[in-house]
Amino acid sequence: MESGRRSYESFWKQALKDIAEDISDQEFSTWFRGIEYVSGSDTQIALSVPSSFIKDQISQRYLPKIEEKLAELAGHELSVKFSIQKKSASRTTHEEPKAGAKAEEASTRKRQHPQLNKEYTFERFIIGESNSFAANASLAISKNPGTGYNPCLIYGGVGLGKTHLVQAIGNSVYREFPDLKVAYVTVETFANEFILSIQKKTGHQFKNKYRLVDVLLIDDIQFLEGKEGTQEELFHTFNALYDANKQMVFTSDRPVSDIRSLSDRLRSRFERGLNVDLQPPNYETRIAILNRKVEEKKVKIPDEVVELICRNINTNVRDLEKALTKLIAYAELVNKHITLEIAHQQLKDFFAQPSQKNITIELIQKIVSEYFGLTYKDLRGKRRTKAVAFPRQVAMYLSRELTEYSTTEVGGEFGGRDHTTVMHACQKIEDRMKIDPNIEPTLQSLVKRIKENNA
Ligand code: ADP
Ligand code: MG
């Protein structure tokens, strides 16, 4: 019945409006924007959604709520059935490409995106507790680029999967949305290209390269530290893309608030969207990841060896991979099966407990200067500019906290400074910690790095 059809559709529309009021705009547009009404009957409403991922997510998160709203409106129970929409070939233009052109597009898309590593896919990314927030956000973005979490910033320590995830978004969008232009670049490359474009007076080309894309992926934005011109350029690129509703995803090895000498306007833009963090994987996730790597490399490794590695290496995934690679190389070279004994013997350097080795002041100076974008010499040197004063105080403070050296010895390692200078520096840091909530996380993150690098 025609009138019946209309009323079911209007129930659905009203239910949508109610839900939109209950949840955030971002959530709504991520999950609900792409839903289409298909049909309705006395018992069921049929809807179609853009992908099975969205279907699963909606079913898990919102189905009871949706059915409850519908029951309220209809006065009786109505179940909801989802089907998956066929992908439209074009999202940005309304013109349907010709069949020939479509086929051609599809076949060209089997090729690999030139800037992306084909190994970095969602299929190869193991999701565990430590990374599920970042991984699910990345998945959602890849299904609906530009509509929900925009911009998105993924941050976390080295080797935890930032590059893998951001490239997985790129690979997936490149494959699934043939008409969308995807660009991936590290901040270092972006900065180099920018400088080159000034030298060669090809600024226009450079701007077009990054402002005329649908999905821009920028890796390692912590390296924007101290690069003012590049920051300025990225700021304008950001605005152009943001205004055009284009998707942007950034990665960083630390929270944006910890990136020093970043312009406030750029900082506030990075913080505008969704910020998700990656944590080191727990034991179970490490086992799952390592088992997958063993499978991918098509080698035979006893379970007890996998367990040994995962028990002893808890820093990050890259270190797990390194240990595995070393074992496999050894086994191949000497033509032996990998046993527990061989693993123990070959991996003893990997397993060395960082705390067993004494931390040196030199290591602290290296890590701290790198973190603040200074040179090691600056930190040890005589200059007293503001830019070095605070990092130097931090390094002195950490030298007192993490080593057994006296204030006199510490002073000696910092360009022969007096022990009172060291005491003063430690006092300064302690005072600042009381008033500035950013200091402690910074110190913690530095301590973590120092310990990791002391292995
Ligand atoms: P980051 O960019 O954070 O330093 P990467 O993305 O380069 O780290 O990851 C380091 C290595 O670990 C890569 O080879 C990547 O494929 C792998 N890796 C990280 N996390 C996972 C995961 N959850 N599942 C499978 N492989 C992972
Ligand atoms: Mg990386």
Side-chain angles (χ1 to χ4, degrees):
M1 233 167 49
E2 189 56 20
S3 62
R5 197 196 98 86
R6 258 208 304 273
S7 64
Y8 286 113
E9 184 161 8
S10 61
F11 289 158
W12 166 242
K13 284 196 173 142
Q14 185 57 46
L16 258 188
K17 275 189 199 149
D18 292 352
I19 291 168
E21 279 174 15
D22 291 351
I23 62 182
S24 74
D25 289 353
Q26 196 171 60
E27 223 181 318
F28 185 80
S29 77
T30 305
W31 305 116
F32 289 88
R33 195 190 267 183
I35 305 183
E36 279 167 19
Y37 176 86
V38 179
S39 64
S41 73
D42 283 345
T43 54
Q44 194 174 60
I45 282 191
L47 304 170
S48 72
V49 294
S51 68
S52 16
F53 172 72
I54 302 247
K55 177 184 158 184
D56 293 345
Q57 294 293 318
I58 294 176
S59 306
Q60 280 169 24
R61 295 165 188 239
Y62 305 106
L63 194 56
K65 196 185 194 87
I66 296 172
E67 291 185 338
E68 189 186 314
K69 297 265 180 220
L70 287 171
E72 259 171 42
L73 294 160
H76 58 83
E77 273 188 19
L78 273 175
S79 67
V80 173
K81 193 182 97 187
F82 293 111
S83 59
I84 312 295
Q85 290 153 15
K86 286 209 193 84
K87 281 228 166 66
S88 89
S90 170
R91 282 168 39 103
T92 47
T93 78
H94 293 294
E95 248 171 78
E96 275 292 305
K98 292 194 196 77
K102 243 186 198 170
E104 203 177 272
E105 262 288 13
S107 74
T108 52
R109 279 296 157 126
K110 285 199 189 115
R111 290 201 328 249
Q112 185 52 37
H113 188 292
Q115 291 142 353
L116 297 171
N117 180 338
K118 69 175 190 305
E119 316 262 290
Y120 290 159
T121 60
F122 287 117
E123 291 77 21
R124 284 173 178 251
F125 193 85
I126 302 282
I127 300 184
E129 217 178 298
S130 56
N131 59 25
S132 67
F133 188 23
N136 285 324
S138 303
L139 265 166
I141 288 167
S142 74
K143 305 291 172 184
N144 281 302
T147 57
Y149 306 123
N150 198 26
C152 176
L153 173 84
I154 303 171
Y155 68 92
V158 296
L160 294 180
K162 301 181 296 291
T163 299
H164 189 138
L165 272 182
V166 76
Q167 292 213 11
I169 296 174
N171 276 317
S172 168
V173 173
Y174 189 72
R175 225 176 29 217
E176 302 294 324
F177 300 97
D179 54 328
L180 296 190
K181 254 179 106 172
V182 177
Y184 166 87
V185 69
T186 63
V187 158
E188 277 167 314
T189 306
F190 186 86
N192 289 339
E193 287 180 5
F194 173 58
I195 293 165
L196 213 64
S197 80
I198 298 173
Q199 287 166 358
K200 291 191 170 170
K201 301 196 167 48
T202 52
H204 189 68
Q205 266 173 33
F206 175 80
K207 283 186 174 60
N208 282 345
K209 182 168 174 189
Y210 293 109
R211 292 186 196 178
L212 298 178
V213 300
D214 300 290
V215 177
L216 179 61
L217 310 167
I218 300 194
D219 212 352
D220 289 326
I221 60 162
Q222 74 272 9
F223 292 127
L224 285 169
E225 254 171 17
K227 298 192 175 78
E228 280 141 37
T230 306
Q231 286 187 24
E232 165 103 26
E233 179 61 26
L234 183 58
F235 174 74
H236 294 299
T237 306
F238 186 109
N239 291 342
L241 291 172
Y242 191 79
D243 290 342
N245 285 322
K246 304 300 187 188
Q247 180 71 50
M248 286 172 278
V249 186
F250 304 99
T251 76
S252 166
D253 73 351
R254 60 194 83 167
V256 179
S257 58
D258 269 10
I259 305 178
R260 302 273 153 180
S261 69
L262 185 65
S263 73
D264 286 342
R265 54 187 196 169
L266 201 49
R267 189 190 305 276
S268 76
R269 274 163 181 75
F270 289 140
E271 284 171 342
R272 186 181 283 177
L274 182 71
N275 286 206
V276 292
D277 71 331
L278 285 166
Q279 295 290 332
N282 64 18
Y283 177 71
E284 289 75 17
T285 310
R286 295 201 293 277
I287 294 271
I289 292 174
L290 203 60
N291 275 332
R292 172 65 76 84
K293 304 280 170 197
V294 168
E295 225 173 81
E296 281 167 9
K297 292 187 194 289
K298 299 195 170 59
V299 287
K300 279 216 177 68
I301 293 189
D303 286 348
E304 53 191 18
V305 172
V306 170
E307 283 159 19
L308 175 81
I309 297 175
C310 292
R311 258 199 319 274
N312 286 284
I313 298 181
N314 55 13
T315 44
N316 62 55
V317 183
R318 187 168 299 151
D319 289 345
L320 283 179
E321 283 184 339
K322 272 193 217 152
L324 181 66
T325 307
K326 172 153 192 211
L327 259 194
I328 294 174
Y330 176 82
E332 274 172 8
L333 285 174
V334 300
N335 213 355
K336 274 187 185 161
H337 288 301
I338 296 167
T339 61
L340 203 52
E341 201 190 334
I342 289 181
H344 264 298
Q345 184 191 66
Q346 288 304 310
L347 298 179
K348 58 177 182 296
D349 293 344
F350 284 88
F351 296 168
Q353 282 301 315
S355 55
Q356 286 170 355
K357 232 171 92 180
N358 288 336
I359 291 172
T360 62
I361 294 177
E362 191 186 345
L363 176 67
I364 296 172
Q365 289 169 332
K366 277 197 177 128
I367 302 283
V368 172
S369 53
E370 189 185 287
Y371 189 84
F372 290 102
L374 300 170
T375 67
Y376 171 65
K377 271 200 183 141
D378 286 339
L379 202 73
R380 290 174 66 105
K382 296 272 181 217
R383 278 175 53 221
R384 287 162 181 243
T385 56
K386 223 175 151 195
V388 281
F390 175 67
R392 193 180 282 142
Q393 286 166 356
V394 168
M396 287 180 175
Y397 173 83
L398 291 174
S399 299
R400 286 290 287 151
E401 290 286 307
L402 301 174
T403 74
E404 299 297 322
Y405 293 105
S406 67
T407 46
T408 308
E409 285 165 324
V410 172
E413 294 291 319
F414 284 84
R417 286 181 163 78
D418 192 73
H419 78 278
T420 52
T421 311
V422 180
M423 280 159 59
H424 176 72
C426 295
Q427 192 56 50
K428 265 257 151 101
I429 295 296
E430 276 164 22
D431 291 346
R432 273 185 78 161
M433 238 187 300
K434 286 181 202 138
I435 47 169
D436 183 350
N438 288 322
I439 304 275
E440 207 164 324
T442 304
L443 292 176
Q444 277 168 6
S445 131
L446 281 166
V447 170
K448 197 165 143 243
R449 271 159 213 248
I450 291 164
K451 289 193 171 157
E452 273 169 15
N453 278 278
N454 194 42

